[in-house]
Each structure stands twice: as structure tokens, then as C-alpha cells.
Amino acid sequence: MEESRKQLEKESNIMWEEATKYLSSTKSDVESKRSATETRQKNVEAVLSEVAFLKVDAISSKIISVKEAGAVKVALLVRKCEELVEAFHNYANPIARVIESEQRRLGATKGGGFGISDPV
């Protein structure tokens, strides 16, 4: 009986040591995987941060580009308006002079016809 008990204790101790080694090995593996996961998480966060920065930079560049293009279009439209006003004045001034001279001529003859400002 004593011999059997000693044998069982010996087997129990061996199983206990094997279980302890397995537990230590498993703990080490879990810690290693946790550390690797944390490192990968940090890398993913760094990449996402960089991508977000690049997107913001690209959007900012696009905004600046659109504003510049809009400013150029506005400047072209302003110049075109100025050209139209100038053309209008070039045509309107001679017509106004003709009307004024005709009014003066009609005013000088007094009653020789209808004036522009005379009611019809």
C-alpha cells in the first residue's frame, strides 16, 4: 500500500509539474500574442492617422484649387463686364450726341416738328 501511495504521489507530482509547465507555456504564448496584437493595433492606428491626414491634406488642396479656379473665373467675368460696359458707352455716346443735336436743331426751328421730349 505504501508503495502504491508513493507511486501515486510521484505520478501526481509529475502530472503537476507537466501541468505547471503547460500553464507557464500557455501564459507565455498568450502574453506574446497580446504584445503582438498591441503592436499591430498601434501600427494600424498610425496608418489610419496618416491616411486621415493625407485625406485632409488632399481635401484642403482641392478646396484651394477650386477657390483659385473660381477667382480666375470671377476675374474673367469682371473683365468681360467691363468690356461690355465700355462697348455700350462707345455706342451710346454717339447716339446721345445725335439725339442732343437733333433736339437742338428742332428747338432752334421752334415748332418745325416734334421734339423727342414733346408729347405725341
Side-chain angles (χ1 to χ4, degrees), residues 88-102 116:
F88 172 78
H89 287 298
N90 287 340
Y91 289 109
N93 287 341
I95 292 172
R97 281 189 223 113
V98 168
I99 291 172
E100 287 174 8
S101 69
E102 190 60 29
I116 291 179

Side-chain angles (χ1 to χ4, degrees), residues 68-108:
E68 289 173 351
V72 168
K73 285 182 181 180
V74 166
L76 289 173
L77 289 172
V78 166
R79 179 64 190 135
K80 192 65 172 176
C81 286
E82 290 170 351
E83 289 175 6
L84 288 171
V85 167
E86 185 179 335
F88 172 78
H89 287 298
N90 287 340
Y91 289 109
N93 287 341
I95 292 172
R97 281 189 223 113
V98 168
I99 291 172
E100 287 174 8
S101 69
E102 190 60 29
Q103 283 178 340
R104 274 189 250 121
R105 188 182 66 79
L106 288 175

Side-chain angles (χ1 to χ4, degrees), residues 22-105:
Y22 177 76
L23 178 62
S24 295
S25 173
T26 303
K27 281 183 179 179
S28 178
D29 285 346
V30 167
E31 183 61 31
S32 174
K33 288 179 181 179
R34 185 189 65 78
S35 177
T37 302
E38 285 177 357
T39 303
R40 288 170 59 190
Q41 178 68 26
K42 287 177 184 175
N43 289 340
V44 166
E45 288 172 358
V47 167
L48 288 176
S49 174
E50 185 177 332
V51 166
F53 176 76
L54 291 175
K55 284 184 178 181
V56 167
D57 192 40
I59 291 170
S60 295
S61 295
K62 179 102 176 171
I63 288 170
I64 290 169
S65 174
V66 168
K67 282 183 178 179
E68 289 173 351
V72 168
K73 285 182 181 180
V74 166
L76 289 173
L77 289 172
V78 166
R79 179 64 190 135
K80 192 65 172 176
C81 286
E82 290 170 351
E83 289 175 6
L84 288 171
V85 167
E86 185 179 335
F88 172 78
H89 287 298
N90 287 340
Y91 289 109
N93 287 341
I95 292 172
R97 281 189 223 113
V98 168
I99 291 172
E100 287 174 8
S101 69
E102 190 60 29
Q103 283 178 340
R104 274 189 250 121
R105 188 182 66 79

